[in-house]
Amino acid sequence: MRITEKLMVKDQLVSFEVFPPKTDSAFDSIEWSVRELAAFNPDFMSVTYGAGGGTSQYTTKIASLIKNRLDTTALAHLTCASTPKDKIKEILDTLKENHIDNILAMRGDIPQNFEKPDGEYYEYAYELVKYIKEYGYFDIGGACYPECHPECDSLDKDIDHLKLKVDSGVDFLITQLFYDNDIFYSFMEKVRKKGIYVPVFAGIMPITNIKQIDRIISLSGTKLPCEVSEFLEKYKDSPEDLEKAGLDFAIKQINDLLENGVNGIHIYTMNKPYVARTVLKGITR
C-alpha cells in the first residue's frame, strides 16, 4: 500500500528505518534484522541508500524483501548528489518492476573530492522530485530539518528551500532526528505558516551509546535538552544504564509527539530489533 493511502485510514503512523548491507556476505544478518523488525507490523519501513549509490542494489533488494515477501509497505531512499541522471532512471525502473511505489527523494551527502560533469547530475533534491513526479507511479517523500540543514544559513531560508521541494511534488516529509520536541513544534508552526501542508513524520533515533550521540552531534549539530545531557554524563561509564535511559527518553519523547497530534513517528532503528521492540512496548497510543 502507498503511504498516502495509509494516511487516509490512520491518523498517525509508526514506521522504521533500516540500512542495507554493504556486501553480499553481510546480507544474511541484515535480512534477519529486517524480518524481525517487520514482525512488529510497522506501517512502513524505509531503506537507506549509501553515499555514491554504493549500496543501491541492496537498497532495492531489501525494499523488495520488505514489500514482496514480508507484506510490509516499503519506502526506498534515493539520492541524486552522486548518482547520474541515467542511473536514476534505471533505479526507478527497477523499483517499479519490484512493485515498490514509495520513494524518499534526497540530495544526499556529496563524497569528498567528488567531481561531477555539468548536466549529468541533479544539483538539488527538488530537481530529483520533479523528475520522479514526471516519471509517475511513485509516492514521493522528502527530508526536512527542524534545526536547519547544516549547510544552510538560516532556518527560514531552509524552509524556503523545503517549500520549493514540496511544491515540486513531495507527498510527505520525514524529519532529521531531534531530541527537543519544542524545536519540532516551533518548526511545524513555521512550515505551516509558509504554506507547507503535507504530512510530517518525526524522525526519532533512540540513544543507545555514547559514540553514537557524539557522532550525531558532530555531523548534524543536533541540540540536546538538559535531561539528555544529564543522563549522558551520569551514565557515561555504565553502557547498560545509559542505553536504558536513552530508550526511556525516546519513549517519553514519542508519547509527547503522539499526544500533540504528530502525523507519524519514524524510528531510526539502526537495524536493532530490540530497540524497536522496547520503544513500541512503551508507546501509549
Side-chain angles (χ1 to χ4, degrees):
M1 182 182 289
R2 295 175 183 273
I3 291 171
T4 53
E5 292 173 338
K6 283 185 171 285
L7 285 163
M8 292 178 184
V9 296
K10 288 185 70 173
D11 291 334
Q12 296 176 312
L13 306 184
V14 174
S15 55
F16 300 153
E17 178 179 287
V18 298
F19 56 83
K22 294 182 180 179
T23 63
D24 280 334
S25 61
F27 190 86
D28 287 347
S29 64
I30 300 295
E31 180 178 353
W32 177 86
S33 295
V34 169
R35 287 181 177 277
E36 290 290 304
L37 287 162
F40 299 136
N41 296 315
D43 290 298
F44 65 89
M45 293 175 66
S46 75
V47 189
T48 63
Y49 185 90
T55 64
S56 62
Q57 73 273 28
Y58 297 115
T59 298
T60 301
K61 193 173 180 180
I62 291 292
S64 182
L65 166 69
I66 291 167
K67 173 69 182 290
N68 300 311
R69 293 169 60 189
L70 302 179
D71 196 29
T72 299
T73 297
L75 170 66
H77 292 215
L78 178 59
T79 65
C80 63
S82 54
T83 308
K85 292 178 181 178
D86 56 355
K87 176 68 172 177
I88 286 173
K89 171 64 165 57
E90 291 178 14
I91 292 169
L92 295 182
D93 289 342
T94 302
L95 290 171
K96 185 177 180 180
E97 289 168 5
N98 283 272
H99 311 292
I100 298 158
D101 45 18
N102 301 284
I103 289 180
L104 187 67
M106 299 175 289
R107 189 202 71 177
D109 296 327
I110 300 173
Q112 280 189 328
N113 304 317
F114 180 72
E115 295 182 8
K116 52 186 179 182
D118 291 341
E120 292 189 16
Y121 296 79
Y122 293 112
E123 193 76 20
Y124 302 105
Y126 82 87
E127 297 172 312
L128 175 61
V129 170
K130 278 186 176 180
Y131 178 74
I132 298 172
K133 196 70 175 179
E134 291 169 1
Y135 182 98
Y137 183 73
F138 297 98
D139 274 9
I140 306 171
C144 59
Y145 297 79
E147 297 177 75
C148 188
H149 192 285
E151 297 176 19
C152 198
D153 295 336
S154 70
L155 181 58
D156 287 340
K157 187 180 293 186
D158 195 28
I159 292 173
D160 286 338
H161 296 160
L162 181 63
K163 180 70 161 61
L164 175 60
K165 187 162 57 176
V166 171
D167 288 347
S168 297
V170 164
D171 297 299
F172 58 89
L173 295 165
I174 299 176
T175 75
Q176 172 65 283
L177 60 91
F178 61 91
Y179 293 102
D180 187 333
N181 284 2
D182 287 340
I183 289 175
F184 173 78
Y185 297 138
S186 175
F187 171 76
M188 289 302 300
E189 286 184 14
K190 290 177 182 292
V191 299
R192 296 313 189 207
K193 285 180 181 178
K194 183 61 71 172
I196 299 171
Y197 299 116
V198 298
V200 179
F201 303 142
I204 302 298
M205 179 179 283
I207 296 170
T208 57
N209 62 70
I210 289 286
K211 287 184 179 179
Q212 169 201 30
I213 195 65
D214 286 345
R215 183 172 182 274
I216 289 167
I217 293 171
S218 66
L219 289 175
S220 65
T222 302
K223 297 179 179 65
L224 298 179
C226 291
E227 182 179 351
V228 174
S229 298
E230 287 172 0
F231 76 67
L232 288 174
E233 176 62 26
K234 181 177 181 180
Y235 299 124
K236 62 183 178 182
D237 297 320
S238 178
E240 289 185 3
D241 289 330
L242 188 143
E243 179 180 85
K244 183 181 184 304
L247 290 170
D248 286 346
F249 180 83
I251 291 167
K252 177 181 175 182
Q253 185 182 13
I254 289 169
N255 282 328
D256 179 75
L257 290 163
L258 291 171
E259 287 169 9
N260 282 280
V262 69
N263 297 119
I265 301 294
H266 192 61
I267 302 172
Y268 298 112
T269 68
M270 302 302 291
N271 292 7
K272 296 177 179 178
Y274 78 88
V275 168
R277 180 174 60 250
T278 302
V279 171
L280 290 178
K281 283 184 178 179
I283 293 177
T284 57
R285 69 184 178 113

